[in-house]
Every structure is written in structure tokens, then in C-alpha cells.
Amino acid sequence: ELGVWIGAWTVFLLLCLGPRLKIHGIIHRGFVLPGDVLPSLPVLQSVRTLSRFLVPLVLFTIVIGCLLLKDRLAGATQRCRVVWYASALLVVGLEYALLPYPVQAQRVNYQVPAVYHSPAKTAGGKVGVLLDLPLLTHSGRRSEGRGQTRWHYYQTVHRQKLIGGVSSVLPDEVFAFFEAIPGVRALWSQSAIDEGQLEASLAALHVDWIVLNKERYGPATLRAYLATFRESPYLTTFFEDAGYVAFSVDQSKICENCAFKPRLEASHADSA
């Protein structure tokens, strides 16, 4: 009986891991997991976010834990049982005492950095396009880049459109659209980008503002990015502190005949 529950638990664990092996934010595309075939299955293709398999995974974990405790406590003394039950009650009580704020929330700073207030003031009511670096494009089935989802919370302050972003599901055409733009792969992977690639990507995406998080880059990569940005005639620094640097983009100075200006099908334009 325990083996059946453990087998089912293993299946849902593999489904929760997604289509490719991901370790410490790095996706290993050569390591294919069972989640890769879900979009082609008649019933499971409707599961847009693989993390939803966490619900049965947790339920199965509870059942397995109860079965193990039952066997362990069957021959235990009365004192041992009291210790087990008291410990379990303390854990549950501590968890409920923290609600509705989980432990992680106490370690997260929800204050919006000052850099995101600057575009709102500088724009003067104009809604432009803001590129947060490192760039993150995330879907329920796929993720590119090493950005942070909290940047969408910052959008409530700067009120500009975001490049990339997070969605429960994005079609493959959206990722293909971004991948075809010169320089986007470099922005995703936080690798070096030359001025030509930068110019083409900013022109294709119609970027008006760039906010770069210094803390998310290594020293060498950060120096290379800042050197490229500050040498560009169409970028002007309008904010900088210890953690962030922000640039405004003058689209009129970007060449009109850039090497690549991709177009996305109308059906996927809103998703992009």
C-alpha cells in the first residue's frame, strides 16, 4: 500500500519539475522531463501551469507521512507517542500563528526602489515601454532570463509597459519572436551585448526606458554593460544609485534601417 502511494507521489513530483531540468535558475535543455509531453496529451494539455500538480503532491505527501507514522508508532511507548503528537501540534500551531503571512514574507522587502519612481515623473503621463534588466520572459511551461517577478509589482508605480514579463501561459510564437531579435539572447543570459545588437533590440521593441539592477550582474559583466550603454549616443542616464542605473532611450537617434525589426502575428501581439 505504501509503495503505491510513493509511486504516485513520484509521478506528480516529476510533473511539477516542468519540461526541462532546472537547477539554481539555470535550465538544462538537454535533460528532458515528462512535463515536456503534456501539451500533446488530450486531457493534460489544458494544464497551463505545471506547479498546479503541487496540490496532489502535497496530499500524497500527507498520506505517506501518516502511513509511516502509523507503522512507527504502532509499537511505540505511550511517552513516545505523546512526544510525536505534541511535536506535530506545535508545528501546525506555529504555521497557523504565522498566517496570513508566511515566513518568507518577513524576509522580503516590498518597498518600491526609488528608480521606478523616476520614469513616472520623467514621462509626464506618457505611457512608454520599460526594459528591466536582467530580462525575464516567463510562462507556466517555459522561462527565459534571470529576472524577478516582483518587477510587476513595481509597475504599479512607473506605469510603463514591460518587456518580457510573466504569464500563466505564452505560446511558442512569443518566445520565437523574442529569440529572433538580435541581442535578446544576450539580455536573457546576462552575457555581453555589442552596440549593434543593443540598437537593433531597442528599435524592434520600441524601448523608452531601461532600468538595470546592478546587484543582479557580476562585476565584469556589469562593467561591460555600463560601458556599452554609456557610449551609446541614444541613451541618457537619468537615475543612478548604489543598486540601480536607469537610461532614457531617444528613439529618434536610433537608425531607421536597423538590421532587424521583427513582426508578430496579430493573434499573439497582445501576449508579447
Side-chain angles (χ1 to χ4, degrees):
E1 181 182 4
L2 182 62
V4 173
W5 284 102
I6 293 178
W9 179 90
T10 304
V11 170
F12 282 103
L13 174 65
L14 292 174
L15 293 177
C16 288
L17 294 178
R20 297 289 190 277
L21 180 64
K22 184 176 181 180
I23 300 176
H24 197 57
I26 300 176
I27 299 175
H28 301 270
R29 302 195 176 282
F31 200 109
V32 182
L33 293 171
D36 185 62
V37 301
L38 291 185
S40 60
L41 298 179
V43 178
L44 295 179
Q45 63 182 359
S46 61
V47 180
R48 300 182 301 172
T49 306
L50 297 180
S51 60
R52 291 173 182 169
F53 290 119
L54 282 172
V55 175
L57 182 70
V58 171
L59 292 176
F60 285 8
T61 302
I62 294 172
V63 173
I64 292 171
C66 290
L67 290 174
L68 292 175
L69 280 176
K70 182 194 69 172
D71 294 339
R72 190 176 187 87
L73 296 178
T77 62
Q78 184 68 24
R79 177 178 295 181
C80 182
R81 293 184 183 183
V82 171
V83 171
W84 273 100
Y85 293 145
S87 300
L89 288 174
L90 284 175
V91 171
V92 174
L94 178 63
E95 186 71 19
Y96 274 93
L98 293 174
L99 291 176
Y101 306 106
V103 177
Q104 305 92 290
Q106 301 176 11
R107 300 195 297 264
V108 175
N109 183 8
Y110 288 97
Q111 183 178 359
V112 179
V115 65
Y116 292 101
H117 293 271
S118 296
K121 297 177 181 177
T122 309
K126 173 190 172 185
V127 178
V129 177
L130 187 142
L131 172 62
D132 254 318
L133 293 180
L135 176 63
L136 171 67
T137 307
H138 175 82
S139 178
R141 297 193 184 118
R142 181 175 175 183
S143 181
E144 296 287 355
R146 303 173 187 176
Q148 297 174 308
T149 56
R150 73 179 69 175
W151 289 341
H152 291 269
Y153 171 62
Y154 300 157
Q155 191 180 22
T156 60
V157 173
H158 64 72
R159 299 185 181 279
Q160 305 296 300
K161 298 177 182 178
L162 282 177
I163 296 296
V166 177
S167 175
S168 60
V169 59
L170 288 174
D172 292 337
E173 290 85 347
V174 174
F175 286 96
F177 168 81
F178 281 115
E179 289 174 338
I181 301 174
V184 167
R185 287 182 178 272
L187 297 177
W188 272 337
S189 62
Q190 297 177 253
S191 55
I193 182 172
D194 60 48
E195 188 170 345
Q197 290 179 326
L198 176 64
E199 184 176 12
S201 61
L202 296 180
L205 298 170
H206 305 287
V207 176
D208 297 292
W209 321 94
I210 300 175
V211 174
L212 186 144
N213 188 335
K214 297 179 182 179
E215 298 175 354
R216 304 282 292 183
Y217 288 89
T221 307
L222 179 61
R223 286 194 298 269
Y225 267 74
L226 292 180
T228 301
F229 288 177
R230 285 171 174 154
E231 291 173 2
S232 300
Y234 44 84
L235 293 181
T236 303
T237 305
F238 70 91
F239 180 94
E240 185 167 7
D241 61 12
Y244 294 88
V245 57
F247 303 88
S248 59
V249 183
D250 189 345
Q251 286 285 340
S252 64
K253 292 184 179 180
I254 295 181
C255 72
E256 293 296 331
N257 299 315
C258 286
F260 191 84
K261 288 189 178 182
R263 291 290 179 267
L264 191 66
E265 295 181 11
S267 60
H268 300 302
D270 291 338
S271 297

